[in-house]
C-alpha cells in the first residue's frame, strides 16, 4: 500500500465509531462514542473536518436525515473505507507482533 | 432551557463552512442541552473547533474562504508594510515623507507571493477566473493608500506577483488533489 493509503489514528477512531453506530452515525453521536470508549474529548469541529476528509477520499458517504426534529447528516462507511480500515489494522497488528511493552 | 453562550455560538457560525453550519450548530446545541447546559463545555468545544472548521472550508475551496484569502493576500502586504513604515518613520522624523525604499517593495512583494500562493491553493484552478480580478481590485484599493510613497512600478509588480502566485498555488493544489486516495 502507498503511504497515503493508511489511516491516521483519529481517522481510524472516526471510522470505527461510524461502524459501531450503524444507522445512528451523525456528528454528535460519533463524538460521544469516541469520548465514551477512549476518554478523548474531541471537538465537534475536528469530528466534522475528519468526516469531510474521509468523504473526500471516498471512505464514508453522507446523507441528510429529514425525519429528525433537527437536520442531521448521517454517515456510513463505504466498501473502500472498510478495506482501508482492515489494511491499517493488519499493518498495525503486524508491527505489534513479537513486541513486548509493559502494560499491554 | 438555557440558551448556549451567544459569543461562542457566533464564533462557530463564523468559522464553519455554510453548508455544514446547520449540522454542526445543531449537534453542539443538542449536546449542550444533554450535558445540563454547561457554558464552559460549549466554549471549549467552540474554541477547539475553530482551526478544524476553518481548515475544512479552506480544503474544500468554499468561496467565502477563497474570497477572504484573496482579500488578505492582495491588500494585506501593502497595508502591513505601510503600517510598519509609519512606525519606523515615527522614530526617524527627518525621513518623514521620503519615498519607500527597496526593502519595502521587496518585503511587500515576498509577502504577497507567499499569501497569494496559499490563497491560490484555496481557490483552485476553477476559481482563478474570479480570484485574479478580485485580487487586482483589492490590490488597487490597498495601493491607493500607499500610492504616492512607493516607486511607480510597484503596483504592476504587485499585480504580476499576485497573478503568478495565485496560479501557482492553484496548480499545486491540483497536483496535490490528484495524488490523494481515490
Amino acid at each position: 500500500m502507498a503511504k497515503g493509503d493508511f489511516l491516521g489514528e483519529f481517522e481510524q477512531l472516526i471510522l470505527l465509531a461510524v461502524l459501531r453506530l450503524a444507522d445512528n452515525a451523525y456528528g454528535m453521536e460519533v463524538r460521544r462514542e469516541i469520548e465514551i470508549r477512549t476518554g478523548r474529548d474531541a471537538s465537534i469541529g475536528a469530528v466534522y473536518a475528519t468526516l469531510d476528509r474521509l468523504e473526500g477520499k471516498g471512505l464514508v458517504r453522507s446523507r441528510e436525515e429529514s425525519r429528525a426534529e433537527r437536520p442531521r447528516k448521517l454517515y456510513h462507511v463505504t466498501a473502500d473505507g472498510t478495506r482501508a480500515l482492515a489494511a491499517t489494522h493488519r499493518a498495525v497488528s503486524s508491527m505489534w507482533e513479537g513486541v513486548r511493552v509493559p502494560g499491554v | 432551557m438555557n440558551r448556549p453562550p451567544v459569543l461562542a455560538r457566533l464564533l462557530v457560525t463564523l468559522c464553519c463552512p455554510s453548508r455544514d453550519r446547520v449540522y454542526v450548530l445543531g449537534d453542539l446545541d443538542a449536546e449542550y442541552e444533554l450535558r445540563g447546559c454547561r457554558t464552559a463545555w460549549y466554549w471549549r468545544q467552540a474554541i477547539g473547533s475553530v482551526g478544524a472548521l476553518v481548515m475544512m472550508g479552506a480544503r474544500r475551496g468554499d468561496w467565502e474562504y477563497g474570497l477572504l484569502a484573496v482579500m488578505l493576500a492582495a491588500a494585506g502586504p501593502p497595508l502591513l508594510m505601510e503600517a510598519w513604515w509609519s512606525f519606523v518613520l515615527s522614530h526617524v522624523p527627518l525621513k518623514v515623507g521620503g519615498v519607500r525604499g527597496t526593502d519595502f517593495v521587496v518585503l511587500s512583494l515576498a509577502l504577497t507571493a507567499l499569501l497569494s500562493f496559499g490563497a491560490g491553493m484555496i481557490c483552485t484552478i476553477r476559481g482563478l477566473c474570479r480570484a485574479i480580478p478580485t485580487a487586482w481590485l483589492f490590490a488597487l484599493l490597498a495601493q491607493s493608500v500607499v500610492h504616492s510613497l512607493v516607486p511607480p512600478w510597484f503596483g504592476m509588480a504587485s499585480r504580476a506577483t499576485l497573478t503568478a502566485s495565485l496560479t501557482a498555488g492553484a496548480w499545486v493544489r491540483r497536483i496535490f488533489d490528484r495524488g490523494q486516495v481515490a
Side-chain angles (χ1 to χ4, degrees):
Chain A
M1 281 182 93
K3 183 187 167 196
D5 293 350
F6 288 113
L7 298 166
E9 181 216 0
F10 196 57
E11 288 179 331
Q12 285 181 66
L13 291 180
I14 295 268
L15 280 179
L16 288 168
V18 172
L19 281 173
R20 296 185 70 87
L21 291 163
D23 290 337
N24 198 31
Y26 64 97
M28 183 184 98
E29 284 300 331
V30 170
R31 203 202 75 75
R32 284 173 62 81
E33 182 73 8
I34 291 171
E35 188 177 7
I36 290 165
R37 299 218 159 248
T38 68
R40 183 169 170 171
D41 185 19
S43 74
I44 193 78
V47 169
Y48 269 95
T50 308
L51 282 166
D52 183 67
R53 192 168 62 244
L54 291 172
E55 194 168 18
K57 290 178 179 178
L59 305 184
V60 295
R61 206 161 282 152
S62 68
R63 65 181 166 82
E64 191 181 329
E65 191 190 42
S66 48
R67 286 174 302 156
E69 57 192 33
R70 63 183 173 83
R72 295 193 309 193
K73 211 179 198 182
L74 287 170
Y75 292 87
H76 72 270
V77 179
T78 62
D80 281 348
T82 316
R83 267 195 292 274
L85 204 50
T88 307
H89 181 63
R90 269 198 305 274
V92 173
S93 301
S94 164
M95 289 303 291
W96 270 104
E97 261 173 42
V99 175
R100 292 196 179 167
V101 177
V104 177
Chain B
M1 169 198 148
N2 280 342
R3 292 173 66 122
V6 177
L7 284 178
R9 204 170 192 278
L10 182 68
L11 184 68
V12 177
T13 307
L14 291 175
C15 296
C16 188
S18 53
R19 69 178 113 156
D20 280 316
R21 201 170 287 150
V22 66
Y23 307 118
V24 174
L25 286 172
D27 279 1
L28 258 182
D29 293 352
E31 196 169 348
Y32 172 71
E33 202 179 331
L34 212 66
R35 284 175 177 263
C37 303
R38 283 166 49 205
T39 308
W41 176 85
Y42 200 101
W43 266 107
R44 215 170 42 246
Q45 280 290 321
I47 292 168
S49 295
V50 167
L53 291 175
V54 169
M55 285 306 292
M56 177 166 91
R59 195 177 52 244
R60 284 203 305 221
D62 284 357
W63 71 268
E64 55 266 60
Y65 291 88
L67 178 65
L68 189 67
V70 165
M71 272 169 60
L72 274 175
L79 294 179
L80 194 69
M81 293 310 297
E82 175 67 13
W84 169 243
W85 257 83
S86 301
F87 171 75
V88 169
L89 291 179
S90 68
H91 290 78
V92 192
L94 288 177
K95 285 198 174 180
V96 167
V99 172
R100 292 342 189 206
T102 317
D103 53 347
F104 173 89
V105 175
V106 170
L107 274 175
S108 185
L109 289 180
L111 199 57
T112 302
L114 192 71
L115 290 178
S116 48
F117 183 82
M121 288 188 79
I122 296 175
C123 293
T124 72
I125 295 280
R126 240 180 350 175
L128 276 183
C129 55
R130 288 188 298 271
I132 291 172
T134 310
W136 278 47
L137 176 71
F138 280 102
L140 284 170
L141 285 173
Q143 283 156 20
S144 66
V145 179
V146 294
H147 174 70
S148 59
L149 301 166
V150 292
W153 51 267
F154 173 73
M156 205 57 221
S158 169
R159 289 192 291 279
T161 307
L162 267 173
T163 309
S165 303
L166 276 170
T167 311
W171 273 103
V172 168
R173 166 73 182 259
R174 185 185 163 105
I175 293 165
F176 178 76
D177 284 348
R178 283 184 172 178
Q180 293 287 302
V181 182

